[in-house]
Amino acid sequence: MATPAPSALVELLKPITWFAPMWAFTCGVVSSGASPTGQWPVIAAGVILAGPLVCATSQAVNDWYDRHVDAINEPHRPIPSGRMPGRWGLYVAAGWTGLSLLVAAALGPWILGAALFGLVLAWIYSAPPLRLKRNGWWGNSAVALCYEGLPWFTGAAVMAAAVPDGRVLLVALLYSIGAHGIMTLNDFKSVEGDTRTGIRSLPVQLGTLGAARLACLVMALPQVAVILALFAWQRPWHGALIGALLVGQFVLMRRLLAEPRGRAAWYNGTGTTLYVLGMLVAAFALRPLVGGP
């Protein structure tokens, strides 16, 4: 049986996508308010779980079940190009799923539960019969939760060895909702293949301008809610800083809306950077609050 080259395996697992959940996990660690002293091995294992394991699993699963779509949108990808021969894509997805569960189990029951939930979402997002990605509303919600909220929860739970504070959960949920807009912009690159294969992404359903407007709204409103929450929790400087980052996003959004199709990837490299910086600011804002009145 032909075997894939190591370079094809790395490409299948898409390391560039690992940043988002690893960053969210780090935000969870920071927001817990717990000292990292003596916890660095556990934190490192959690970062690996969030990125190179669970996120990489989702990429492998998606590439396997999207191989026909990728043959149209991205024929250079490992599976449609033949560099990942036979059923190797499926084998990698299954193997990475098992490895992720083993590492999660070693980190404790809450982390195992979160990882199991994320892996189930990863499979039902791409695999039939549910294949959530066939509809952009459901599919983007699943990915946003896995990329932002779930790793944030996991990072905070690792440090607390328990369910995180309710305020931590609220902020993680709000940033997950906002990430739905980021996922919508990510779908702009595959409009042709999605249209031809019956995948109803939001750019397909709403058109690129309508989807871009929705994405901007969905990204902005949760950040406004975070700002209001931080002011209510007596963290005005943190709230003001996130507000300044949001103003910067508004400036970039105007350019995005002038040419949504051509600038979607550009915005995901600029405006999204400001978005995730706001996540870290919010995480630091939560530190003195955890366990407080």
Side-chain angles (χ1 to χ4, degrees):
M1 176 187 295
T3 58
S7 60
L9 176 61
V10 172
E11 192 177 344
L12 179 76
L13 300 178
K14 292 184 184 176
I16 195 172
T17 65
W18 303 348
F19 169 78
M22 292 166 70
W23 182 268
F25 179 89
T26 303
C27 288
V29 170
V30 171
S31 70
S32 72
S35 171
T37 303
Q39 294 273 59
W40 289 113
V42 175
I43 293 172
V47 169
I48 292 170
L49 177 66
L53 291 177
V54 173
C55 182
T57 298
S58 72
Q59 298 302 326
V61 174
N62 187 61
D63 266 31
W64 173 254
Y65 288 104
D66 257 16
R67 58 195 185 277
H68 305 305
V69 180
D70 285 345
I72 301 170
N73 290 323
E74 300 178 272
H76 60 278
R77 292 292 303 158
I79 295 176
S81 69
R83 290 178 293 118
M84 182 72 61
R87 300 175 67 83
W88 269 100
L90 181 60
Y91 301 153
V92 170
W96 243 250
T97 298
L99 182 59
S100 299
L101 290 174
L102 286 174
V103 172
L107 292 174
W110 283 108
I111 286 59
L112 176 60
L116 182 60
F117 180 73
L119 290 166
V120 168
L121 280 181
W123 280 87
I124 66 174
Y125 171 79
S126 297
L130 293 180
R131 194 160 162 76
L132 297 180
K133 74 171 298 174
R134 285 184 296 196
N135 187 294
W137 295 103
W138 291 106
N140 289 357
S141 297
V143 175
L145 184 61
C146 285
Y147 271 45
E148 305 295 355
L150 198 59
W152 191 313
F153 169 88
T154 305
V158 161
M159 301 304 290
V163 178
D165 182 271
R167 287 163 291 203
V168 173
L169 296 179
L170 174 62
V171 171
L173 176 61
L174 287 170
Y175 276 110
S176 291
I177 294 171
H180 188 286
I182 299 173
M183 298 305 114
T184 296
L185 294 181
N186 192 53
D187 286 337
F188 277 55
K189 69 179 186 297
S190 56
V191 172
E192 287 83 5
D194 289 348
T195 302
R196 290 168 60 181
T197 56
I199 294 177
R200 302 184 70 243
S201 67
L202 293 184
V204 171
Q205 293 187 48
L206 306 176
T208 53
L209 180 57
R213 286 172 173 167
L214 176 70
C216 291
L217 184 65
V218 170
M219 285 185 283
L221 289 181
Q223 293 179 83
V224 172
V226 169
I227 293 167
L228 294 175
L230 293 182
F231 273 92
W233 297 333
Q234 285 75 54
R235 294 296 176 265
W237 291 109
H238 295 86
L241 181 51
I242 295 173
L245 291 169
L246 181 56
V247 169
Q249 292 169 64
F250 287 150
V251 173
L252 298 171
M253 285 175 182
R254 289 188 64 184
R255 289 199 66 198
L256 168 68
L257 294 176
E259 191 184 343
R261 185 72 181 275
R263 292 180 178 157
W266 166 82
Y267 187 87
N268 266 342
T270 54
T272 299
T273 300
L274 301 182
Y275 182 93
V276 300
L277 286 174
M279 290 172 57
L280 187 60
V281 173
F284 276 107
L286 289 166
R287 285 178 62 85
L289 289 167
V290 175

